[in-house]
């Protein structure tokens, strides 16, 4: 990997959603699109257009959201890019480690196949972390970052390389 002064884009892990969940998530907008073409005398062109627009927006969201999730290591911080905004976590005071924890209940945020962002519970973490801010492609095999009393759950494609680079940039990495 590159030296600490350079920006480094970290690949995000492949999506880990179950095929049934993906089918249901994709089925909703496709069903809405299909419904708009079913003849019905109660549907006006305006209502059909509204449903079709809503379906296309949902379909675009499902396509765009996972592609917008990104992690970048800058000279002074980890930058987490989401579809709406970004989070900067400074290396100073940052600790990082692997976790065997699994994302549980989403209390606020987005849960699409390949795009899990927001507040989640974390179960089965070996050190008792119970709540996290997730910016992940899947709900397991993650890395926990801890800064300013907040725990972040990320899923880089190569967690070991990610942690090694964080250590090179001044973060405290524990096994």
């Amino acid at each position: 990997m590159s030296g600490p002064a350079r920006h480094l884009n970290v690949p995000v892990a492949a999506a880990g959603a179950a095929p049934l969940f993906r089918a249901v998530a994709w089925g909703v907008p496709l069903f809405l699109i299909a419904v708009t073409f079913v003849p019905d005398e109660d549907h006006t062109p305006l209502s059909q257009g509204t449903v079709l627009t809503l379906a296309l927006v949902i379909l675009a969201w499902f396509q765009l959201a996972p592609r917008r999730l990104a992690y970048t290591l800058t000279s002074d911080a980890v930058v987490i890019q989401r579809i709406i905004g970004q989070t900067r976590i400074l290396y100073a005071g940052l600790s990082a480690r692997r976790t065997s924890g699994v994302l549980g209940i989403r209390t606020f945020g987005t849960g699409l196949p390949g795009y899990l962002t927001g507040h989640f519970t974390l179960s089965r973490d070996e050190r008792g972390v119970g709540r996290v801010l997730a910016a992940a492609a899947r709900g397991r095999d993650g890395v926990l970052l801890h800064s300013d009393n907040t725990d972040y759950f990320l899923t880089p494609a190569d967690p070991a390389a990610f942690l090694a680079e964080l250590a090179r940039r001044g973060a405290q990495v524990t096994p």
Side-chain angles (χ1 to χ4, degrees), residues 89-106:
I89 308 167
L90 298 176
Y91 300 130
L94 174 66
S95 63
R97 66 178 173 88
R98 296 282 305 259
T99 181
S100 60
V102 177
L103 290 181
I105 298 169
R106 180 186 53 204

Side-chain angles (χ1 to χ4, degrees), residues 6 16 24 28 30-32 72 77-78 93 111 127 132 147 165 174:
R6 299 185 59 171
V24 169
V28 169
L30 295 176
F31 175 75
L32 288 173
T72 303
V78 176
R127 297 190 191 153
V132 294
S147 179
E165 187 63 25
T174 57

Side-chain angles (χ1 to χ4, degrees), residues 5 44 64 129:
T44 65
L64 181 61
V129 172

Side-chain angles (χ1 to χ4, degrees), residues 22-23 28 31 33 45 88 104 117 147:
R22 271 189 254 152
V28 169
F31 175 75
I33 290 169
R88 290 180 54 81
T117 62
S147 179

Side-chain angles (χ1 to χ4, degrees), residues 122-141:
L122 185 69
S123 62
R124 295 187 267 179
D125 180 65
E126 61 277 3
R127 297 190 191 153
V129 172
R131 294 183 183 163
V132 294
L133 274 172
R138 59 182 179 222
R140 60 181 66 238
D141 302 323

Side-chain angles (χ1 to χ4, degrees), residues 30-62:
L30 295 176
F31 175 75
L32 288 173
I33 290 169
V35 164
T36 62
F37 295 106
V38 173
D40 184 1
E41 42 191 70
D42 291 337
H43 284 135
T44 65
L46 178 61
S47 67
Q48 286 177 317
T50 302
V51 172
L52 184 60
T53 301
L54 175 63
L56 293 174
V57 166
I58 292 171
L59 202 56
W61 181 265
F62 283 7

